Amino acid sequence: MTKNLTRRDFIRAVGGITAMAVSGDLGPDVFAAQKRMFQFPEKDELILLTSRPPNLETPLHHFKKRVTPNKSLFVRWHIANIPTSIDLKEWRLKVGGHTEKELLLSMDELKKFERVTYTAVIQCAGNGRSFFEPKIPGAQWEHGSMGNVTWTGARLRDILNRAGMKSGAIDVSFNGLDTGTLPTVHDFIRSLPADKAMEEDVMVAYEMNGEPLLLLNGYPARLVVPGWYAPYWIKALNEISVWPKRFEGFWMDIAYRIPDNPCACVPPGSTPQKTIPIRRMNTRSLILEPEDGARLSLKKPVRMMGIAFSGGFKIKDVIVSVDGGKNWREAKLGRDEGRYSWIQWFHTWVPSKPGRYGLMARAMNGIGESQPFESLWNPAGYMWNKIEKIGITVE
Amino acid sequence: MTKNLTRRDFIRAVGGITAMAVSGDLGPDVFAAQKRMFQFPEKDELILLTSRPPNLETPLHHFKKRVTPNKSLFVRWHIANIPTSIDLKEWRLKVGGHTEKELLLSMDELKKFERVTYTAVIQCAGNGRSFFEPKIPGAQWEHGSMGNVTWTGARLRDILNRAGMKSGAIDVSFNGLDTGTLPTVHDFIRSLPADKAMEEDVMVAYEMNGEPLLLLNGYPARLVVPGWYAPYWIKALNEISVWPKRFEGFWMDIAYRIPDNPCACVPPGSTPQKTIPIRRMNTRSLILEPEDGARLSLKKPVRMMGIAFSGGFKIKDVIVSVDGGKNWREAKLGRDEGRYSWIQWFHTWVPSKPGRYGLMARAMNGIGESQPFESLWNPAGYMWNKIEKIGITVE
């Protein structure tokens, strides 16, 4: 019942990174192009962005799988003291605030709620940040702070109903076991509007891909808000509070906010007049095959494949171009895994002339949301979803 | 200075329609497929939807012009007593409420504000309503309750600044000279959030395409809210009021509302849990050539053309398909008339085989908003923008 076998490994891992940093291998340049692979406990080799707290990016080729294996899933923490040992005998999920009663749920009790399962993309708000021009400070994610996972858990709604949410509830806040190293560091607490919290699909997950959550991904329980960006998906969740007024806090009122306009964007380098919390994911597609810069052979079929997803409205079509956007062809879509999952797409073509080709992919979801040709800049570098374009050479 | 020469013509026009109705030519069936052409004073022959108040739709072929001539522009009133005679000597625009002072602007005074001009699509919220399944009561517009007009007037912001909007302003309401025939009919008053009202491009227009407004289109002044649906574009405007609290009224709180979710849609036939006022136009395209059902000749070039527009974010590209959506080609865009105007698109192809062809057009704006493949149903039949598809035969 205790997940702590990795504690020593954690310390060793972080120690190893520190040693690298001291020896100069890890520079302080936040925009550094070269990244180092690193293997944390329970994980594959992933791309190391920061070590304390650990922020690890998944190499692109892992996304060719329909579902992202636990050991390949990216890791993203906000404050330094992350739980490295949790005894389920002691862990409780406290549910209270503006409720009829207070709950203190053990894992056994949590598992007695109706069990729900679906596959959903988890994606960092800053996924793709490194591609914005001008550059934006913060973790320099490429495309790898995302994954597609089959989550299992209890409906948040069922839990809130058990506690008896009182009328007049405005927000519901979520806190996990991570803490800052200094009193001045704001605890990572985030909130959902009460009506969103009561939506059918929001869950408190205790399994990812049929296994208990990994410590690095939020063991023993994390909030899953399918279709919304990952900052809402609080890890190592231990406290849910219902508020009869708007919840206020650094991580809602200052961080993770976007310009309050239809593109969530401002002219590059400028500051928005008004901001709102980031919420639903926009529509994205990725080209996974061939790789950018590949050299391919004349008259041999080229298999293009990739993935596409949206913030809960499925993917209606993906069109691809091999001539930089003049001609487009409908790609074949893979198996439909539900509205929160990504979907694979495939297209094969035969290059008939040598030269450079611009390969593009653009996805559209069920309500007509697609992707822009130009990036939509915002000061925090969120919501990157420009139409994918890679270059290949045919010889 | 008096626009009333058409009063007698108006009475005659409405009399003529009444006579038709009595003789049985105009049935009471709101979903009637067959429509009658009718010529009102100052107008071309337009499609008659209702006579009192006059609601007239523009036949599709008029949209081949970049700018819609005044006499071809659709007409849409909500309540029966519309102004048919206005003496500019008497007309004043009253501006007051939560302001430092009250203004009573004559047309001469209105014209002394800095003059602004741009071309903007005006579009009824219910444009395309007749295409929804299941059918929705209300004016059975096809595509013709829209147009593209060059508007000239004074910035609303400049007028509000002259009046001295006080701090704490929440909404700004707009009323025109039209009235109901019974005391139970709600006066057609609508409001904008104060920050929207202060945006640079909102204007009080007194000219359309370089001429004074037509009586049927809102003479002597109407609000122009470019990018937003026409219900905000109050005609025969004579009163602007600033409110230190939320403005309440039938036409904001009951009418012109859409489901409060990202698609503004609900399952066909159902009722949304929560609604919000309709606002910004979504992205649309229209195929104007060839016409649906056309029979064309083998191996002769087929010219496709149409228009596309969005709620203020320009059109980034229009792609067309002649095989029902498998292959798409980037259409050539016409002259850019600014972010609120529609833009023409063109594409020529040569049919190489006889048979039926499904011609499609889909537009995308600058922030990646496109059009859905399926219609997004809502109880009032607003915001129709399904991807255009027509059928032609090649012989």
mmCIF file of all heavy atoms in Angstrom, chain A residues 71-84:
data_model
loop_
_atom_site.group_PDB
_atom_site.id
_atom_site.type_symbol
_atom_site.label_atom_id
_atom_site.label_comp_id
_atom_site.label_asym_id
_atom_site.label_seq_id
_atom_site.Cartn_x
_atom_site.Cartn_y
_atom_site.Cartn_z
ATOM 1 N N LYS A 71 5.181 4.843 -18.777
ATOM 2 C CA LYS A 71 6.597 5.188 -18.628
ATOM 3 C C LYS A 71 7.055 6.238 -19.645
ATOM 4 O O LYS A 71 8.097 6.856 -19.475
ATOM 5 C CB LYS A 71 7.470 3.929 -18.725
ATOM 6 C CG LYS A 71 7.376 3.245 -20.064
ATOM 7 C CD LYS A 71 8.150 1.939 -20.114
ATOM 8 C CE LYS A 71 7.928 1.359 -21.520
ATOM 9 N NZ LYS A 71 8.593 0.132 -21.785
ATOM 10 N N SER A 72 6.243 6.458 -20.712
ATOM 11 C CA SER A 72 6.627 7.460 -21.721
ATOM 12 C C SER A 72 5.945 8.803 -21.500
ATOM 13 O O SER A 72 6.255 9.778 -22.199
ATOM 14 C CB SER A 72 6.255 6.990 -23.129
ATOM 15 O OG SER A 72 6.539 5.640 -23.334
ATOM 16 N N LEU A 73 5.003 8.870 -20.582
ATOM 17 C CA LEU A 73 4.213 10.090 -20.445
ATOM 18 C C LEU A 73 5.042 11.229 -19.842
ATOM 19 O O LEU A 73 5.810 11.013 -18.898
ATOM 20 C CB LEU A 73 2.974 9.832 -19.575
ATOM 21 C CG LEU A 73 1.995 11.012 -19.508
ATOM 22 C CD1 LEU A 73 1.344 11.271 -20.866
ATOM 23 C CD2 LEU A 73 0.926 10.776 -18.445
ATOM 24 N N PHE A 74 4.852 12.429 -20.352
ATOM 25 C CA PHE A 74 5.581 13.612 -19.872
ATOM 26 C C PHE A 74 5.299 13.856 -18.388
ATOM 27 O O PHE A 74 4.301 13.373 -17.837
ATOM 28 C CB PHE A 74 5.203 14.853 -20.698
ATOM 29 C CG PHE A 74 3.894 15.498 -20.321
ATOM 30 C CD1 PHE A 74 3.864 16.678 -19.574
ATOM 31 C CD2 PHE A 74 2.686 14.933 -20.695
ATOM 32 C CE1 PHE A 74 2.660 17.270 -19.216
ATOM 33 C CE2 PHE A 74 1.476 15.524 -20.343
ATOM 34 C CZ PHE A 74 1.468 16.694 -19.597
ATOM 35 N N VAL A 75 6.160 14.649 -17.777
ATOM 36 C CA VAL A 75 6.043 14.975 -16.353
ATOM 37 C C VAL A 75 6.112 16.488 -16.202
ATOM 38 O O VAL A 75 6.962 17.133 -16.806
ATOM 39 C CB VAL A 75 7.189 14.313 -15.549
ATOM 40 C CG1 VAL A 75 7.183 14.789 -14.095
ATOM 41 C CG2 VAL A 75 7.087 12.797 -15.635
ATOM 42 N N ARG A 76 5.189 17.035 -15.406
ATOM 43 C CA ARG A 76 5.193 18.477 -15.238
ATOM 44 C C ARG A 76 4.729 18.821 -13.817
ATOM 45 O O ARG A 76 3.579 18.575 -13.434
ATOM 46 C CB ARG A 76 4.237 19.108 -16.264
ATOM 47 C CG ARG A 76 4.523 20.555 -16.614
ATOM 48 C CD ARG A 76 3.975 21.515 -15.618
ATOM 49 N NE ARG A 76 4.254 22.911 -15.974
ATOM 50 C CZ ARG A 76 5.205 23.639 -15.407
ATOM 51 N NH1 ARG A 76 5.998 23.132 -14.508
ATOM 52 N NH2 ARG A 76 5.350 24.925 -15.736
ATOM 53 N N TRP A 77 5.665 19.351 -13.033
ATOM 54 C CA TRP A 77 5.331 19.850 -11.695
ATOM 55 C C TRP A 77 5.643 21.329 -11.634
ATOM 56 O O TRP A 77 6.449 21.840 -12.423
ATOM 57 C CB TRP A 77 6.125 19.100 -10.622
ATOM 58 C CG TRP A 77 5.729 17.657 -10.467
ATOM 59 C CD1 TRP A 77 6.208 16.608 -11.198
ATOM 60 C CD2 TRP A 77 4.782 17.116 -9.546
ATOM 61 N NE1 TRP A 77 5.606 15.434 -10.791
ATOM 62 C CE2 TRP A 77 4.729 15.723 -9.769
ATOM 63 C CE3 TRP A 77 3.967 17.659 -8.549
ATOM 64 C CZ2 TRP A 77 3.898 14.866 -9.035
ATOM 65 C CZ3 TRP A 77 3.152 16.814 -7.812
ATOM 66 C CH2 TRP A 77 3.111 15.435 -8.059
ATOM 67 N N HIS A 78 5.014 22.014 -10.678
ATOM 68 C CA HIS A 78 5.152 23.466 -10.615
ATOM 69 C C HIS A 78 6.015 23.952 -9.469
ATOM 70 O O HIS A 78 6.686 24.969 -9.578
ATOM 71 C CB HIS A 78 3.779 24.110 -10.502
ATOM 72 C CG HIS A 78 2.939 23.856 -11.714
ATOM 73 N ND1 HIS A 78 2.273 22.678 -11.926
ATOM 74 C CD2 HIS A 78 2.701 24.622 -12.804
ATOM 75 C CE1 HIS A 78 1.639 22.728 -13.081
ATOM 76 N NE2 HIS A 78 1.882 23.892 -13.635
ATOM 77 N N ILE A 79 5.960 23.246 -8.348
ATOM 78 C CA ILE A 79 6.725 23.695 -7.180
ATOM 79 C C ILE A 79 7.593 22.531 -6.702
ATOM 80 O O ILE A 79 7.320 21.365 -7.008
ATOM 81 C CB ILE A 79 5.798 24.249 -6.076
ATOM 82 C CG1 ILE A 79 4.615 23.314 -5.798
ATOM 83 C CG2 ILE A 79 5.255 25.615 -6.516
ATOM 84 C CD1 ILE A 79 3.622 23.853 -4.779
ATOM 85 N N ALA A 80 8.644 22.856 -5.986
ATOM 86 C CA ALA A 80 9.789 21.932 -5.864
ATOM 87 C C ALA A 80 9.546 20.693 -5.011
ATOM 88 O O ALA A 80 10.040 19.616 -5.331
ATOM 89 C CB ALA A 80 11.001 22.698 -5.360
ATOM 90 N N ASN A 81 8.820 20.814 -3.907
ATOM 91 C CA ASN A 81 8.659 19.654 -3.035
ATOM 92 C C ASN A 81 7.547 18.747 -3.528
ATOM 93 O O ASN A 81 6.375 18.932 -3.200
ATOM 94 C CB ASN A 81 8.347 20.092 -1.601
ATOM 95 C CG ASN A 81 9.573 20.649 -0.918
ATOM 96 O OD1 ASN A 81 10.713 20.394 -1.347
ATOM 97 N ND2 ASN A 81 9.357 21.432 0.121
ATOM 98 N N ILE A 82 7.926 17.756 -4.312
ATOM 99 C CA ILE A 82 6.905 16.841 -4.816
ATOM 100 C C ILE A 82 6.926 15.576 -3.978
ATOM 101 O O ILE A 82 7.965 15.198 -3.423
ATOM 102 C CB ILE A 82 7.106 16.536 -6.315
ATOM 103 C CG1 ILE A 82 8.358 15.683 -6.533
ATOM 104 C CG2 ILE A 82 7.170 17.824 -7.126
ATOM 105 C CD1 ILE A 82 8.415 15.089 -7.919
ATOM 106 N N PRO A 83 5.800 14.947 -3.828
ATOM 107 C CA PRO A 83 5.754 13.739 -2.998
ATOM 108 C C PRO A 83 6.545 12.604 -3.654
ATOM 109 O O PRO A 83 6.362 12.326 -4.846
ATOM 110 C CB PRO A 83 4.265 13.404 -2.921
ATOM 111 C CG PRO A 83 3.640 14.093 -4.091
ATOM 112 C CD PRO A 83 4.479 15.284 -4.396
ATOM 113 N N THR A 84 7.432 12.009 -2.898
ATOM 114 C CA THR A 84 8.215 10.886 -3.430
ATOM 115 C C THR A 84 7.909 9.608 -2.676
ATOM 116 O O THR A 84 8.436 8.553 -2.979
ATOM 117 C CB THR A 84 9.721 11.176 -3.338
ATOM 118 O OG1 THR A 84 10.025 11.507 -1.983
ATOM 119 C CG2 THR A 84 10.108 12.321 -4.250
#
